[in-house]
Amino acid sequence: MAVPLGILYLLAGGLCYSALTIRPSGTWDEDAYAAITLFCFLAIVVSAIALVITAAPPAVRRAMGPRWLAPPLILVVIAATRWALGG
């Protein structure tokens, strides 16, 4: 389960990175704001999927341990903050 979770974490991290690096040219730049919103939403969705995969099945939860819950939670906080402040 580490490989699929690692891929999901990398995907969510890339989406967060993209959302953080997009800089609108001005208040009129609706496309940049839409891209920030989209990347943040997708990062939250991918992180939620990773959380469900990690936490839902008891066998996976016991095998992977609680430390595997930290990356998607951190990425959700980053994406939600970016969405709330700049998207």
Side-chain angles (χ1 to χ4, degrees):
M1 288 307 291
V3 172
L5 286 174
I7 291 170
L8 287 174
Y9 295 166
L10 286 175
L11 181 60
L15 290 165
C16 280
Y17 177 77
S18 297
L20 290 171
T21 57
I22 294 174
R23 299 284 180 235
S25 298
T27 57
W28 50 267
D29 196 0
E30 303 262 337
D31 292 335
Y33 289 113
I36 291 169
T37 302
L38 176 66
F39 286 143
C40 289
F41 174 75
L42 290 176
I44 291 170
V45 168
V46 171
S47 295
I49 291 170
L51 277 171
V52 168
I53 290 173
T54 305
V60 174
R61 188 172 51 242
R62 282 191 302 271
M64 301 302 281
R67 67 180 178 179
W68 283 87
L69 296 173
L73 292 174
I74 292 169
L75 291 170
V76 164
V77 169
I78 292 169
T81 304
R82 174 63 171 150
W83 193 355
L85 296 178

